[in-house]
Amino acid sequence: MFKVGVIGCGNMGEAIVKGLIEKSGIKSTDIIVNDINKERQDYIIQKYNTAGADIKKVVNLSEIVFLVVKPKDLDDTLNPVKDTFKENQILVSVLAGVKIQKIKNLVEKPLIVRIMPNTPALIGEGVIGVSFERETEKKEEVINLLKGLGEVFEVKEELLDVITGLSGSGPAYVFTFIDALAQGGVKMGLSYQDSLKMAVQTVLGSAKLLKETSEHPAVLRDKVTSPAGTTIYGLHELEKRNFKDAIISAVEKATERSKELSK
Ligand SMILES: NC(=O)c1ccc[n+]([C@@H]2O[C@H](COP(=O)([O-])OP(=O)(O)OC[C@H]3O[C@@H](n4cnc5c(N)ncnc54)[C@H](OP(=O)(O)O)[C@@H]3O)[C@@H](O)[C@H]2O)c1
């Protein structure tokens, strides 16, 4: 028996294998993988020293199966193995926008867990929203595995749409902010290369400071905002241009779109 089976060895499949081995303490010999693309499957087997097999064997031999294919491939992937799953297994779906009930309609026996990671999960620094079909004594074990991808938040399934709008789409908002910050530096005379490095480190350092001090963002903001100083002039410009309003609306709209897409 293997602890974990991974079906679909693309970007996210690789991130899961890597995170499980490097951060969750799962031995590579406890992982078995499958991909319809044999080159991709062999690449993962060789790079991470895992086992590999056809999809039926992977389902048959794994305690916890990660389903990491594109949503459009859901039916084609699960139909051939729907009778292979057993009652005591767990199926963790990474498929964006695919509801637990839809997977349950395809495979009845395993307990279904749905997760919503974001792209920083590819380097073990993601936000991972997780919803369980029902309570299980294996919850802690699953959450500990997911910690290999980043910070894990258990929520009700309907809140996964909000997680999609906040942390799923969030990296794109942050990349846009970083690019704009760097361009500001260019406008005022820095090279883009230097400006980008400064913008990245400013975001990284500020996020770490927030995390390590556990202070409210407003408290840390006030600490860099001296009376009649430079920061209040910059903040006032952001305020005039509805910076916070734009970001709140971005999360709102992306959440609504996620709800629409998963219908
Ligand atoms: N990437 C992210 O940051 C991210 C974030 C949140 C959620 N997700 C979710 O993660 C899932 C995977 O995304 P991805 O970016 O890793 O996609 P991807 O790179 O395309 O990987 C999917 C892999 O599964 C393979 N595959 C397709 N049908 C299969 C089958 N029947 N049996 C076995 N393997 C099969 C694909 O092979 P072919 O290429 O030959 O089809 C491909 O190698 C998606 O559902 C997505 O919604 C991804």
Side-chain angles (χ1 to χ4, degrees):
M1 249 344 235
F2 291 84
K3 175 96 304 256
V4 174
V6 177
I7 299 170
C9 299
N11 294 316
M12 194 46 75
E14 179 170 4
I16 289 170
V17 170
K18 190 169 185 269
L20 291 179
I21 296 170
E22 291 178 3
K23 293 204 172 174
S24 305
I26 299 292
K27 284 193 259 156
S28 54
T29 46
D30 275 336
I31 301 176
I32 184 163
V33 302
N34 168 265
D35 197 295
I36 204 167
N37 176 343
K38 289 294 156 239
E39 258 178 50
R40 195 61 202 168
Q41 181 175 315
D42 288 343
Y43 158 80
I44 297 290
I45 294 170
Q46 272 160 27
K47 184 164 178 189
Y48 298 97
N49 199 27
T50 68
D54 63 58
I55 189 166
K56 273 206 169 141
K57 267 197 189 150
V58 168
V59 171
N60 230 334
L61 296 175
S62 308
E63 283 176 37
I64 299 174
V65 177
F66 281 82
L67 182 64
V68 207
V69 298
K70 294 278 192 207
K72 69 173 174 56
D73 295 319
L74 172 69
D75 290 35
D76 287 350
T77 309
L78 285 186
N79 272 329
V81 284
K82 63 176 182 216
D83 299 322
T84 314
F85 279 98
K86 296 176 276 290
E87 298 281 353
N88 59 351
Q89 278 179 305
I90 293 181
L91 176 59
V92 182
S93 164
V94 184
L95 279 61
V98 177
K99 294 207 171 106
I100 289 175
Q101 191 54 50
K102 186 167 183 188
I103 299 170
K104 199 75 200 167
N105 291 344
L106 287 168
V107 283
E108 237 179 88
K109 287 182 181 160
L111 178 108
I112 313 292
V113 179
R114 186 179 154 198
I115 65 170
M116 179 62 212
N118 62 358
T119 48
L122 301 175
I123 53 160
E125 292 289 350
V127 169
I128 299 97
V130 58
S131 293
F132 289 79
E133 176 201 333
R134 57 180 156 77
E135 281 303 317
T136 162
E137 76 273 10
K138 292 194 175 159
K139 187 183 267 186
E140 207 181 315
E141 186 184 359
V142 174
I143 288 178
N144 281 336
L145 288 182
L146 295 174
K147 283 182 183 166
L149 297 175
E151 210 164 320
V152 182
F153 298 85
E154 190 197 345
V155 293
K156 286 190 189 143
E157 190 179 12
E158 58 262 33
L159 287 179
L160 284 180
D161 289 313
V162 185
I163 291 193
T164 305
L166 193 163
S167 53
S169 305
Y173 314 150
V174 175
F175 298 145
T176 304
F177 172 72
I178 288 174
D179 185 41
L181 201 56
Q183 284 189 317
V186 173
K187 186 167 187 196
M188 301 318 291
L190 290 170
S191 72
Y192 186 78
Q193 209 186 14
D194 284 347
S195 206
L196 182 62
K197 281 186 191 156
M198 291 174 203
V200 169
Q201 184 55 32
T202 301
V203 170
L204 195 65
S206 308
K208 275 192 170 172
L209 188 64
L210 257 180
K211 203 168 175 179
E212 282 174 24
T213 58
S214 304
E215 293 273 26
H216 190 284
V219 171
L220 292 182
R221 186 192 58 213
D222 287 352
K223 282 187 183 162
V224 285
T225 313
S226 47
T230 58
T231 309
I232 190 62
Y233 275 71
L235 285 173
H236 188 201
E237 275 309 302
L238 292 179
E239 199 64 31
K240 279 196 264 183
R241 287 155 208 265
N242 298 325
F243 181 69
K244 282 181 79 175
D245 178 64
I247 290 163
I248 293 167
S249 293
V251 176
E252 184 182 27
K253 290 287 176 200
T255 302
E256 284 168 3
R257 181 67 181 145
S258 173
K259 282 184 185 160
E260 235 172 69
L261 289 175
S262 58
K263 265 182 197 154

